[in-house]
Every structure is written in structure tokens, then in C-alpha cells.
């Protein structure tokens, strides 16, 4: 039997291809399972969870910008317990690797959330220390190397799952944060979360978002995200999962060449639900054209 | 992918686009329309179904050019392709008996297919249509084949024209102030009213949570759980 050139192992978990649905863009899989063949994905990172759930932010939540969008959802989610009891088992039936994304407002939230997730059949815990849209906690944990390392170390100590830390591009020294997380025991890193941005309604003379600032994603951020993935991937020895504005197989290849072993796709799925499937097909075609036994051969060649 | 059969301006900044291919669906549902391959703007635009011709396999959308996305649609020519994802959303419930349809501005568009379906499901039922426009009427004539009466209001408050005391089901789509006025009137008359809501959304399928609204029964997504709601459920979200 011919081997699958797209397959890889991430944190000891088998992925049939390196294309993962990004957290916050895919729910827990229910919605897109109705409009596309989600079994073909390499993995799914579920909607960001907080210990007790959240109603999310008031006011405008999404706002389109040139080649991208700002969001201020504010981690609307049903809470970790609901996920453990109702969503994890469903996600397991879908086929792709199951990643639970865990956010938090304080240290104890993260640790209790991680403990509860020990009871869920998931493959990887994605530790979200990079959500820019919640007032307390969230991105604050990902800004400085010391705080990022501290929370990573503590979550690692209680979690039985591999821990992939999702980093914020808003950190003043992202490479230092990445190294600190690696030193604290992170099994992998994923980056980048959204860039802090802003929109103003000039007619109303006020900010579009109630939180004033919001997270920018989409093709507009790709070159910056790519640079950051390149820097981080060359600074650490743990696997890096890259994301930021990927719309095509060619974009995914850029992130792989820059050093990411896998990619996440988010905003583009909103525009075209089948985008990830086209990317998977395009990556397979690329392997055939280039005569690659495995796509991982190109990881980090730049 | 759908093929554009026609795309022309029917009133100032109001365009009618008829496509063949994938679409169809039912009254009150919408499609995410997108220029194929476009990265700027990236996202599709939720456009409600205005009229379906099942025999010809054609679907008509009436849209207002309000930003860069809809301005791109207006530049598309017959023969060109347009991405149409859907149909999404729940659509209008077709209740038995008399129906009163209230459309304001571009909110008149989904009312046409609703009138068509209501008439087709019971040709004997009474259908009264009220259309409100700021300056210029459109689509008005198209309603005449399905409705017993079509009342139009230009520059005023269309809800004021409506008698909410009838033994009928009321359906409304239009700007928020119009829907709020309809809700108040329905309250006073204890009328059954369904409203179609509009909110900014990124995905149209219920994943992005951009269009969440608070309802009597908890958080609901306008795109997936709506856009049509019993007005009592979404009173605070209108």
C-alpha cells in the first residue's frame, strides 16, 4: 500500500494531513459537518473554552477590513464541563484529530479547566494564552515570557494530554515567549492568534467595537504571521503549527517552508467552507509534482 | 457555483440579480454570495432569496449596494459565475390562514418569495402586502400576482398603515426601527408576528458567532437559528 505523503505525527498524535481547522472558526464541528466533508481534515481545534463558559461580547462582533476581518466575539462558549460531557465524544466521531482549546481569566480557571479536560477523549490541549477579546486574563498570559512559562508549566503539571501553547502576535518579544514556553515543557506551539486592531465608525464618531480593540485575521496578516512563524520555528526545537491568513495550498506551503509542521486555517473557511479541502488536495498534488515521499521534507527549508 | 443570467439596477442602488445553477431554497432563507476567488473583500455577503423559479431553475436576489462587497456584485455581467453557498437559515413558517406581509426598504425582497409560497400553498388565502420605501418604490408590481392588496408608503412609516387586529399571521422584514414599531403594534393587538433579522455575520452557518443575539430562550445565532424568529423571542435583539 502506498504511504500517504501528507501524514505526520504531532505531539505523538497521528494526523492524516497537516491541515487543522483553527479554533473559534469551526465551533465543535456540527455546523460545517452539514456543508462539507470534515472527515478529511487533519484536525479540528474546537471553539475556545473557558471554565464556566461565557456569553461573549455585546455589540458589533465582526467587521470586515481589507482582505481580512476584525472580530470581538469574546470567547462565547458553553464551558469546559459542557464540552467534556457533550462535545468531545461527538468530535471524536468526526475522524480528524481532536484539539480542545482552553482559555481562561485567571490561573485557577486554566488549571481547573485542564483537570476537567483530563476526563475528555481529546488528542491535544491547545492552551490559549492569546485571546485579545476578553477583558481579564486571555492574552495577558501570553505577553511576557515569565507569565507564559508559569501558566504553561502549571497546566503541563495537571494535564494528561499533550499541551500546545497558542501564542499571541501582540507579545512585545514573541520569540522570547516561545522559548519560555518550550522551557516550561510545552509539547508544541501554535501561532499566530489575531493581531490587536481597531475600527472607527466615523459617522457615529465612535469605535465600532464595545471593547474598542478587536482581533484582526485573514489574508491581510499573512506576511507578518509568516515572518513570526519563521522566527519562532527557528528558535525552538518543539513542533510549530502555523497560521495567519492562509487561503490556499500555496499559502500553506509557505508556512511549512518557514518551519511549521502543520497549519491551521480559520478565516478563509468563513469565506469558503471547502477551502481546507482544496488546500489538502493542493498539498497532495504538490507532493506528487515534487516527488516528495512525505510533505514534511520541506518543513523549515527556508 | 451559479451562473448570472441578468444583473441590473431596478432603483437607485437597488439591484436585481437572477442566477441559474445551485441556488433555490425557500422564502426567508439566504445564500452567502461571493465573487469567486475574491480575497478583498474576502467574505461572502448574506443575501436573501427574493424569488425562485423552480421550473427554470433560476433564483433571483435583490440587493442594495452598501459597501465594497455589494458594489462588486453590481459589476458582474450575465454569463459570469458567482459563488452561492447555501441555502442557509430557517426561512419563514407558512402558517395557515390570512397573511399580512410588511417589507421595509431592501427588506421587501424576501417578502416576494414568501408571498409566492403562501399563495401557492393555499390560493384561496387572503394576502395583504405593505411595502415601505424611503424615496423610491421597487418590486411592487411583482407582488400583485400573489396578493389581494398591495399598499405602498414612500417616506412615511409603513407600520402605521397596517391593521394588526386581523385574524392573520404577520410577517415583517426591514430596518430595526420598523421591526420595533411592528413589535409594539403586535403587542397591543396580541398579533402573531414573525420577523426576519439582519446582523453582520462572517460565515452564515453558525460557526463564527458573529451574529449571536440574546433571546427569551438563551443565545441564538441569527444565521443558523434564524433569521426568522417569533418577535416575542427576540424582542430585546431587534
Amino acid at each position: 500500500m502506498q504511504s500517504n505523503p501528507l501524514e505526520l505525527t504531532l505531539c505523538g498524535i497521528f494526523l492524516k494531513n497537516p491541515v487543522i481547522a483553527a479554533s473559534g472558526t469551526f465551533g465543535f464541528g456540527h455546523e460545517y459537518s452539514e456543508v462539507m466533508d470534515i472527515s478529511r481534515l487533519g484536525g479540528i481545534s474546537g471553539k475556545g473554552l473557558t471554565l464556566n463558559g461565557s456569553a461573549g461580547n455585546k455589540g458589533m462582533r465582526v467587521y470586515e477590513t481589507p482582505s481580512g476581518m476584525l472580530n470581538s466575539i469574546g470567547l462565547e462558549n458553553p464551558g469546559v464541563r459542557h464540552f467534556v460531557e457533550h462535545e468531545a465524544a461527538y468530535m471524536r466521531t468526526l475522524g480528524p484529530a481532536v484539539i480542545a482549546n482552553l482559555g481562561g481569566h485567571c490561573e485557577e480557571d486554566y488549571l481547573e479547566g485542564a483537570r476537567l479536560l483530563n476526563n475528555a477523549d481529546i488528542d491535544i490541549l491547545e492552551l490559549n494564552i492569546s485571546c485579545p477579546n476578553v477583558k481579564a486574563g486571555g492574552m495577558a498570559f501570553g505577553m511576557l515570557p515569565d507569565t507564559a512559562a508559569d501558566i504553561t508549566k502549571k497546566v503541563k503539571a495537571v494535564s494528561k494530554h499533550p499541551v500546545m501553547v497558542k501564542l499571541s502576535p501582540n507579545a512585545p518579544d514573541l520569540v522570547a515567549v516561545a522559548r519560555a514556553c518550550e522551557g516550561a515543557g510545552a509539547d508544541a506551539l501554535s501561532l499566530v492568534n489575531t493581531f490587536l486592531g481597531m475600527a472607527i465608525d466615523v459617522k457615529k464618531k465612535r469605535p465600532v467595537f464595545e471593547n474598542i480593540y478587536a482581533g484582526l485575521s485573514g489574508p491581510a496578516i499573512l506576511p507578518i504571521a509568516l515572518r513570526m512563524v519563521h522566527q519562532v520555528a527557528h528558535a525552538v526545537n518543539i513542533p510549530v503549527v502555523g497560521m495567519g491568513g492562509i487561503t490556499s495550498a500555496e499559502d500553506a506551503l509557505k508556512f511549512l517552508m518557514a518551519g511549521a509542521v502543520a497549519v491551521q486555517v480559520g478565516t478563509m473557511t468563513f469565506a469558503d467552507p471547502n477551502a481546507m479541502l482544496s488546500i489538502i488536495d493542493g498539498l497532495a498534488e504538490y507532493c506528487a509534482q515534487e516527488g516528495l515521499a512525505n510533505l514534511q521534507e520541506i518543513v523549515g527549508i527556508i | 457555483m451559479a451562473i448570472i443570467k441578468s444583473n441590473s439596477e431596478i432603483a437607485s442602488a437597488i439591484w436585481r440579480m437572477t442566477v441559474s445553477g445551485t441556488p433555490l431554497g425557500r422564502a426567508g432563507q439566504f445564500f452567502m454570495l461571493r465573487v469567486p476567488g475574491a480575497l478583498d473583500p474576502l467574505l461572502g455577503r448574506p443575501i436573501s432569496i427574493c424569488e425562485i423559479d423552480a421550473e427554470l431553475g433560476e433564483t433571483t436576489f435583490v440587493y442594495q449596494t452598501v459597501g465594497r462587497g455589494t458594489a462588486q456584485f453590481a459589476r458582474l455581467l450575465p454569463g459570469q459565475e458567482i459563488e452561492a453557498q447555501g441555502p442557509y437559515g430557517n426561512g419563514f413558517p407558512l402558517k395557515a390562514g390570512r397573511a399580512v406581509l410588511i417589507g421595509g426598504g431592501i427588506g421587501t425582497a424576501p417578502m416576494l418569495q414568501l408571498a409566492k409560497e403562501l399563495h401557492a400553498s393555499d390560493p384561496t388565502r387572503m394576502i395583504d402586502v405593505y411595502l415601505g420605501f424611503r424615496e423610491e418604490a421597487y418590486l411592487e408590481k411583482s407582488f400583485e400576482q400573489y396578493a389581494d392588496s398591495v399598499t405602498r408608503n414612500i417616506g412615511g412609516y409603513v407600520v402605521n398603515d397596517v391593521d394588526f387586529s386581523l385574524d392573520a399571521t404577520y410577517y415583517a422584514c426591514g430596518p430595526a426601527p420598523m421591526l420595533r414599531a411592528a413589535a409594539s403594534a403586535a403587542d397591543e393587538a396580541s398579533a402573531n408576528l414573525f420577523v426576519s433579522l439582519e446582523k453582520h455575520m462572517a460565515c452564515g452557518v453558525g460557526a463564527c458567532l458573529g451574529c449571536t443575539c440574546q433571546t427569551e430562550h438563551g443565545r441564538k445565532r441569527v444565521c443558523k437559528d434564524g433569521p426568522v424568529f417569533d418577535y416575542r423571542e427576540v424582542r430585546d435583539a431587534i
Side-chain angles (χ1 to χ4, degrees):
Chain A
M1 190 180 142
Q2 207 168 4
S3 71
N4 166 15
L6 297 186
E7 68 184 34
L8 70 147
T9 304
L10 173 65
C11 303
I13 304 298
F14 172 82
L15 271 65
K16 56 183 172 285
N17 64 63
V19 179
I20 301 167
S23 179
T25 65
F26 216 73
F28 302 109
H30 299 277
E31 294 80 12
Y32 280 108
S33 70
E34 294 173 19
V35 295
M36 61 174 279
D37 180 5
I38 66 178
S39 69
R40 293 187 57 209
L41 301 177
I44 298 172
S45 182
K47 174 67 189 172
L49 301 165
T50 54
L51 182 59
N52 298 313
S54 166
N57 291 336
K58 288 191 174 7
M60 185 80 94
R61 286 183 167 195
V62 292
Y63 182 84
E64 197 165 21
T65 59
S67 293
M69 62 179 278
L70 287 160
N71 89 77
S72 183
I73 307 298
L75 282 181
E76 176 183 337
N77 79 94
V80 177
R81 283 179 193 86
H82 175 93
F83 174 82
V84 172
E85 286 164 21
H86 301 285
E87 304 293 353
Y90 167 75
M91 286 183 77
R92 177 58 73 203
T93 66
L94 298 173
V98 178
I99 303 172
N101 181 289
L102 177 67
H105 302 291
C106 63
E107 181 184 306
E108 197 38 50
D109 279 9
Y110 277 110
L111 299 184
E112 186 57 22
R115 281 186 208 108
L116 289 171
L117 285 172
N118 283 340
N119 302 319
D121 177 21
I122 62 168
D123 294 312
I124 296 171
L125 189 165
E126 185 171 48
L127 182 63
N128 181 356
I129 55 170
S130 47
C131 179
N133 294 325
V134 289
K135 286 230 165 77
M139 190 172 82
F141 286 92
M143 288 293 97
L144 296 171
D146 289 351
T147 48
D150 190 52
I151 196 71
T152 300
K153 195 172 183 176
K154 286 171 175 160
V155 168
K156 267 300 287 180
V158 302
S159 180
K160 71 172 196 186
H161 303 295
V163 174
M164 174 163 79
V165 184
K166 186 167 181 180
L167 303 179
S168 169
N170 304 303
D173 187 346
L174 180 58
V175 170
V177 172
R179 285 198 175 113
C181 291
E182 180 184 33
D187 298 290
L189 301 172
S190 55
L191 64 150
V192 294
N193 205 318
T194 55
F195 287 79
L196 204 57
M198 182 178 187
I200 292 175
D201 184 331
V202 294
K203 274 189 199 151
K204 294 180 182 162
K205 298 191 176 81
R206 66 176 197 218
V208 165
F209 295 102
E210 293 210 0
N211 269 3
I212 303 177
Y213 305 134
L216 180 66
S217 64
I221 70 167
L222 187 143
I224 321 178
L226 185 63
R227 183 263 296 173
M228 290 174 159
V229 166
H230 184 256
Q231 287 176 319
V232 167
H234 286 71
V236 299
N237 294 309
I238 50 176
V240 168
V241 174
M243 78 194 90
I246 294 171
T247 66
S248 62
E250 189 179 337
D251 289 344
L253 287 167
K254 294 171 193 168
F255 279 84
L256 294 170
M257 289 181 185
V261 300
V263 296
Q264 293 189 7
V265 178
T267 304
M268 188 58 196
T269 301
F270 293 155
D272 177 3
N274 289 310
M276 285 189 283
L277 305 183
S278 307
I279 291 171
I280 293 164
D281 292 340
L283 293 177
E285 254 170 60
Y286 179 81
C287 288
Q289 278 166 9
E290 295 284 314
L292 299 177
N294 190 287
L295 184 60
Q296 294 295 309
E297 290 169 34
I298 63 149
V299 168
I301 60 171
I302 290 170
Chain B
M1 207 68 83
I3 307 286
I4 295 168
K5 306 291 285 186
S6 63
N7 186 25
S8 58
E9 195 171 18
I10 56 169
S12 178
I14 305 293
W15 290 66
R16 184 209 295 259
M17 179 195 287
T18 297
V19 305
S20 66
T22 318
L24 290 178
R26 62 177 187 275
Q29 292 190 301
F30 65 94
F31 283 82
M32 293 298 275
L33 298 185
R34 180 168 175 259
V35 176
L39 294 184
D40 183 31
L42 180 72
L43 302 171
R45 294 292 182 270
I47 307 289
S48 65
I49 297 162
C50 176
E51 198 171 12
I52 297 166
D53 187 327
E55 267 175 44
L56 289 176
E58 292 181 352
T59 307
T60 295
F61 300 96
V62 169
Y63 60 96
Q64 187 167 18
T65 50
V66 290
R68 292 187 307 138
T70 42
Q72 275 189 351
F73 294 163
R75 288 195 291 272
L76 295 172
L77 300 170
Q80 287 186 301
E81 290 187 322
I82 185 161
E83 247 179 67
Q85 302 154 20
Y88 294 149
N90 58 357
F92 287 107
L94 301 183
K95 298 289 184 186
R98 189 169 184 175
V100 178
L101 280 54
I102 310 160
I106 198 66
T108 54
M111 288 300 157
L112 183 57
Q113 178 62 22
L114 177 59
K116 185 172 185 169
E117 289 181 19
L118 285 167
H119 180 70
S121 66
D122 176 7
T124 66
R125 91 166 82 221
M126 284 278 288
I127 300 177
D128 301 298
V129 175
Y130 294 87
L131 305 176
F133 303 95
R134 203 167 284 172
E135 288 170 351
E136 189 184 357
Y138 43 87
L139 291 179
E140 192 186 352
K141 288 263 179 290
S142 308
F143 282 91
E144 286 169 3
Q145 55 192 310
Y146 313 119
D148 297 277
S149 74
V150 181
T151 307
R152 118 181 129 175
N153 185 318
I154 294 180
Y157 296 99
V158 65
V159 171
N160 293 347
D161 302 337
V162 182
D163 177 1
F164 279 87
S165 67
L166 301 174
D167 179 17
T169 303
Y170 294 77
Y171 302 89
C173 183
M178 187 200 102
L179 296 183
R180 280 195 290 268
S184 300
D187 269 343
E188 275 182 36
S190 301
N192 289 317
L193 168 68
F194 290 92
V195 293
S196 179
L197 300 186
E198 186 179 46
K199 267 204 148 196
H200 281 260
M201 56 185 70
C203 70
V205 300
C208 76
L209 306 182
C211 65
T212 299
C213 67
Q214 286 297 334
T215 75
E216 263 196 347
H217 306 107
R219 296 191 300 274
K220 296 264 173 101
R221 298 157 297 182
V222 168
C223 69
K224 176 84 176 172
D225 306 309
V228 178
F229 295 93
D230 185 317
Y231 85 101
R232 285 170 285 235
E233 196 188 351
V234 292
R235 195 187 305 268
D236 298 334
I238 301 175

